Amino acid sequence: MKLSTRSRYAARAIIEIAKQRGEKPITRKVICESQQISSSYLENILIILKNQGIIKTIRGPKGGYSLAKDPADITMFDIVSVFEGSISAVHCVDDPTQCARYEKCPTKIVWEELMVAQQKVLKSFTIERLMEIDCKIPGLEYSI
Amino acid sequence: MKLSTRSRYAARAIIEIAKQRGEKPITRKVICESQQISSSYLENILIILKNQGIIKTIRGPKGGYSLAKDPADITMFDIVSVFEGSISAVHCVDDPTQCARYEKCPTKIVWEELMVAQQKVLKSFTIERLMEIDCKIPGLEYSI
DNA sequence: CCTATAGTCTACTTAATTGGTAGACTTATA
DNA sequence: TATAAGTCTACCAATTAAGTAGACTATAGG
């Protein structure tokens, strides 16, 4: 049930990007330095976010990353689900044909409710909302 | 965010054990056959459940597995948390000292709410409740 | 046009985890 | 005392996660 570091790094990077408030793109170097994430590793993550249409990029000097849509239209669910595949805990919840006993399986009900609860929480957090929560503490960084 | 097969097998095995309703222990062989789980693999899982005081065992002929407590006192949270470690998605939610920025980290709030929501769902499902939901369909089995 | 900046692509490495298996050993019933 | 059961130790293979390296491409600005 652990979230991959990819999801967590993505969340932190997106917030860093959102802080620019559309003024100018932020470079990967700056994100890495403030978030203490390896640049090459973050590259993989940002490419995926770009392909998902969550962020956009500009190459060359003065280039960098910026949000592809309004912070109010990006949720934590959008970000996390890219890296965790489906967020459902069990395959059969996504694809009931996978399990012959699906219709009457007692445990299935647990996994379904779990997924619904998770989605609800993740969808409730937009980047906009997180920006309101955010506050800068220079000199401190994440350890995970 | 996927649940390991250990958790899922454990849940299914526990339900199988609970079906005996304390009459006599059920052998691993019987559980495996009805649940289509490898006996050696399930052994590892059942040992862990035993060490957690969730089930108890009797060795030798007429031996097998039975619940160590009342089905109403065993929740899905008890079972899942053994195999997933903590169910929290991120370390810092368990141990805030791990992260220097914890106090004001905007993403932390998401992971915390996620954990709370998960716990709530898992704790709401007791084995007793699942037994009421359960229904037998002989000849069919789980595919996952 | 050249150069420096900054993203992109491909491919690798390493370590951990997951899922699973084998076989010797212990316990206890009949 | 034979046999049915759980237990312990140790291994194996496949996958995924995390991270790295280096060549390549695009573009702003002089």
Side-chain angles (χ1 to χ4, degrees):
Chain A
M1 298 283 281
K2 286 275 177 283
L3 229 46
S4 67
T5 61
R6 306 229 300 292
S7 291
R8 292 183 278 119
Y9 286 180
R12 283 157 52 189
I14 289 266
I15 287 169
E16 207 68 23
I17 293 166
K19 280 184 193 165
Q20 299 303 107
R21 304 214 171 266
E23 286 168 25
K24 58 177 195 288
I26 184 174
T27 65
R28 199 163 69 231
K29 191 159 172 281
V30 172
I31 300 172
C32 292
E33 277 164 9
S34 78
Q35 292 291 332
Q36 303 286 112
I37 302 172
S38 126
S39 180
S40 329
Y41 191 45
L42 187 60
E43 188 212 308
N44 304 323
I45 293 165
L46 292 175
I47 284 272
I48 292 167
L49 291 173
K50 180 197 168 189
N51 294 337
Q52 291 297 316
I54 295 169
I55 60 173
K56 59 188 175 189
T57 62
I58 298 173
R59 295 171 73 153
K62 308 270 177 186
Y65 303 87
S66 51
L67 296 187
K69 23 185 182 173
D70 197 272
D73 295 331
I74 303 170
T75 69
M76 276 300 194
F77 176 77
D78 302 326
I79 297 166
V80 168
S81 57
V82 179
F83 297 100
E84 311 299 318
S86 151
I87 69 157
S88 75
V90 172
H91 304 295
C92 69
V93 173
D94 295 319
D95 179 11
T97 64
Q98 286 240 315
C99 182
R101 208 171 172 175
Y102 180 79
E103 282 304 319
K104 310 258 182 159
C105 167
T107 65
K108 159 205 91 169
I109 295 168
V110 181
W111 316 137
E112 273 177 353
E113 272 202 29
L114 196 55
M115 183 186 68
V116 169
Q118 287 171 348
Q119 285 194 0
K120 200 175 152 197
V121 171
L122 290 174
K123 285 182 177 170
S124 76
F125 283 100
T126 65
I127 297 304
E128 187 178 50
R129 192 178 156 202
L130 284 169
M131 293 302 291
E132 286 159 16
I133 295 167
D134 180 51
C135 104
K136 293 177 193 176
I137 310 176
L140 295 179
E141 65 279 328
Y142 295 82
S143 69
I144 49 164
Chain B
M1 298 283 282
K2 286 275 178 284
L3 230 46
S4 67
T5 61
R6 306 229 300 291
S7 291
R8 291 183 279 120
Y9 286 180
R12 283 157 52 187
I14 289 266
I15 287 169
E16 208 66 24
I17 294 166
K19 280 184 191 164
Q20 299 304 107
R21 305 213 170 266
E23 287 170 23
K24 56 176 196 290
I26 184 173
T27 66
R28 199 164 68 232
K29 192 158 172 281
V30 172
I31 300 172
C32 292
E33 280 166 6
S34 78
Q35 292 291 332
Q36 303 287 112
I37 302 171
S38 125
S39 180
S40 328
Y41 191 46
L42 187 59
E43 188 213 310
N44 304 324
I45 293 165
L46 292 174
I47 283 269
I48 291 167
L49 291 173
K50 180 198 170 191
N51 293 338
Q52 291 296 315
I54 295 169
I55 60 173
K56 59 190 176 189
T57 61
I58 298 173
R59 295 169 73 152
K62 306 270 179 191
Y65 303 86
S66 51
L67 296 187
K69 23 185 182 173
D70 196 274
D73 295 332
I74 303 171
T75 69
M76 276 299 193
F77 176 77
D78 302 326
I79 297 166
V80 168
S81 57
V82 179
F83 297 100
E84 310 300 318
S86 150
I87 68 155
S88 74
V90 173
H91 304 296
C92 70
V93 174
D94 297 318
D95 179 10
T97 63
Q98 288 239 314
C99 181
R101 209 170 171 175
Y102 180 78
E103 282 304 318
K104 310 258 181 155
C105 167
T107 64
K108 158 205 92 172
I109 295 169
V110 182
W111 316 138
E112 274 177 352
E113 271 201 30
L114 197 56
M115 183 187 68
V116 169
Q118 288 170 347
Q119 285 194 359
K120 200 175 153 198
V121 171
L122 291 174
K123 284 182 177 168
S124 77
F125 284 100
T126 64
I127 297 304
E128 188 179 49
R129 192 179 154 201
L130 284 170
M131 294 302 291
E132 287 159 16
I133 295 167
D134 181 53
C135 104
K136 293 178 191 175
I137 311 175
L140 295 179
E141 66 278 329
Y142 295 80
S143 69
I144 51 162

